[in-house]
Amino acid sequence: MSEPKKALVLLNMGGPDSLEAVEPFLCNLFSDRDLIQLPLGALLQKPFARLISHFRAKSVRENYRRIGGKSPLLHWTQRQAEETATLLGGDWLPFVAMRYWAPRAAEVVQAIRQQGIDEAVVVSLYPHYTGATTGSSIKDFKQAVAAHHPALRCRYIEDWHDWPAYLDALADCVREGLAQVPAAQRNQLQLLFSAHALPQKFIERGDPYQRHIEQTVAGVMARLDSCEHQIGYQSRSGPVRWMAPDSRKLIRVAGAAGRSLLVVPVAFVSDHIETLEEIDGEFRELAGACGVPWFGRVPALNDRPSFIAALAALVRRAVSAAV
């Protein structure tokens, strides 16, 4: 008799699948008070979100146009889910639940129920915990389970910033990037680990995100030959105090010092708007304008076999710990 099927569910932010989807995607994002607490309180969050997304959509739509007209995040997350489930074995079925665009958690939980599955491992694809991302996504998924499949038994993997196999895979990405640095630039090279910024108030109220980022970077650097490095934070927007230092400021400082830069996306496990447009486009242009002699980026983890193996091992550990 075959083993009962189990669900592997990967949680991610999601992204617009067309230029027309940009504005409603932004509205979904700005409506989430775990991520962004707009002024005037919860009752006015959605009306205010619709207003902001309407005015932001034009510039954001142009950013997506520059990377092909849609987000590649669903493609990569589906590949990660499928390949991880394959490594886990035939009794695992892969699912993807996005927080702000399709497929949403309610749809995914209903699909799991229709498959007759009553056991799932749910993995946040944000390795570094913050209530704004992992916390919001898991709360959203739990609400969907309660509403649509309360019999579903879930094990949640909320952070894995120091998972050795993940650090090994990320260090491999950095080595690939380092191999592309021209010999003449290596003596003046600096690694810039760039993570998505959070409002500083998140950190001050005890969110572990910054500590997790720093521990990941320390783990990666312990696997590499000695190289100067810094941590910066990107994607800062809006009139709040953000985590520092700003990645853009560090690029300007590097240019003034005549330092070459190799950017390491950290906190991002797939290529998306922040790697393809912000780092490869905006950061590269800024580096050129600031006199950075050479600028590069390490490849994202995407469906790299060592990363898929790291995810599969993470799931196996969660299952064995529960036995």
Side-chain angles (χ1 to χ4, degrees):
M1 186 174 178
S2 62
E3 289 289 322
K5 296 290 186 181
K6 296 183 283 289
L8 169 68
V9 184
L10 300 188
L11 304 181
N12 215 328
M13 174 176 282
D17 51 15
S18 68
L19 294 178
E20 293 72 26
V22 168
E23 186 171 335
F25 165 77
L26 290 176
C27 187
N28 289 340
L29 188 148
F30 289 130
S31 295
D32 181 8
R33 286 186 67 77
D34 288 321
L35 181 68
I36 302 168
Q37 293 194 4
L38 296 175
L40 306 179
L43 287 177
L44 292 178
Q45 178 96 5
K46 286 192 175 181
F48 206 13
R50 284 194 291 270
L51 184 66
I52 293 176
S53 59
H54 176 72
F55 287 105
R56 289 281 302 274
K58 183 177 180 181
S59 62
V60 175
R61 196 177 292 118
E62 204 47 47
N63 291 343
Y64 278 103
R65 193 188 307 278
R66 285 195 285 269
I67 65 167
K70 64 178 182 179
S71 171
L73 199 56
L74 179 59
H75 164 78
W76 288 120
T77 308
Q78 287 175 328
R79 288 285 297 272
Q80 290 160 347
E82 291 163 2
E83 294 181 17
T84 303
T86 297
L87 277 187
L88 290 170
D91 53 334
W92 288 87
L93 292 182
F95 298 87
V96 167
M98 297 300 196
R99 183 65 183 92
Y100 305 114
W101 204 242
R104 304 295 295 272
E107 171 190 345
V108 172
V109 170
Q110 290 176 67
I112 291 171
R113 186 193 65 210
Q114 289 163 6
Q115 291 278 354
I117 297 172
D118 60 11
E119 182 180 356
V121 174
V122 183
V123 185
S124 165
L125 280 185
Y126 308 100
H128 315 86
Y129 185 89
T130 169
T133 55
T134 296
S136 177
S137 291
I138 287 181
K139 181 169 76 173
D140 180 57
F141 194 83
K142 286 181 175 180
Q143 289 172 345
V145 169
H148 301 289
H149 191 6
L152 183 65
R153 302 187 306 276
C154 295
R155 299 183 184 93
Y156 293 93
I157 300 177
E158 299 191 2
D159 74 77
W160 34 281
H161 64 285
D162 57 354
W163 181 235
Y166 158 64
L167 298 176
D168 290 342
L170 188 52
D172 285 344
C173 291
V174 177
R175 290 189 190 95
E176 281 190 26
L178 288 169
Q180 304 305 312
V181 180
Q185 303 296 332
R186 289 175 185 166
N187 289 336
Q188 56 192 17
L189 181 72
Q190 184 177 86
L191 295 179
L192 171 55
F193 289 85
S194 190
H196 195 293
L198 291 177
Q200 183 62 29
K201 67 181 181 181
F202 281 63
I203 308 304
E204 291 172 353
R205 72 188 186 195
D207 196 294
Y209 176 76
Q210 185 170 13
R211 183 174 73 252
H212 285 183
I213 293 290
E214 291 168 353
Q215 289 171 346
T216 290
V217 171
V220 170
M221 293 308 301
R223 289 160 166 77
L224 301 173
D225 294 333
S226 178
C227 184
E228 187 175 337
H229 69 281
Q230 288 185 294
I231 302 173
Y233 296 93
Q234 67 182 90
S235 309
R236 298 150 51 110
S237 64
V240 299
R241 187 162 60 98
W242 291 90
M243 296 170 66
D246 184 350
S247 294
R248 285 176 168 78
K249 180 179 179 180
L250 296 180
I251 291 170
R252 294 186 184 98
V253 170
R259 305 299 300 272
S260 295
L261 284 175
L262 180 63
V263 179
V264 184
V266 63
F268 317 126
V269 300
S270 308
D271 275 317
H272 65 305
I273 191 77
E274 291 173 18
T275 60
L276 300 175
E277 198 283 326
E278 190 172 10
I279 296 178
D280 292 353
E282 297 175 29
F283 283 15
R284 185 178 296 278
E285 290 176 12
L286 176 62
C290 292
V292 172
W294 183 89
F295 179 93
R297 172 174 73 86
V298 308
L301 289 162
N302 291 334
D303 60 351
R304 173 182 296 263
S306 59
F307 177 56
I308 300 301
L311 288 178
L314 195 64
V315 173
R316 291 192 195 101
R317 182 183 67 166
V319 172
S320 62
V323 173

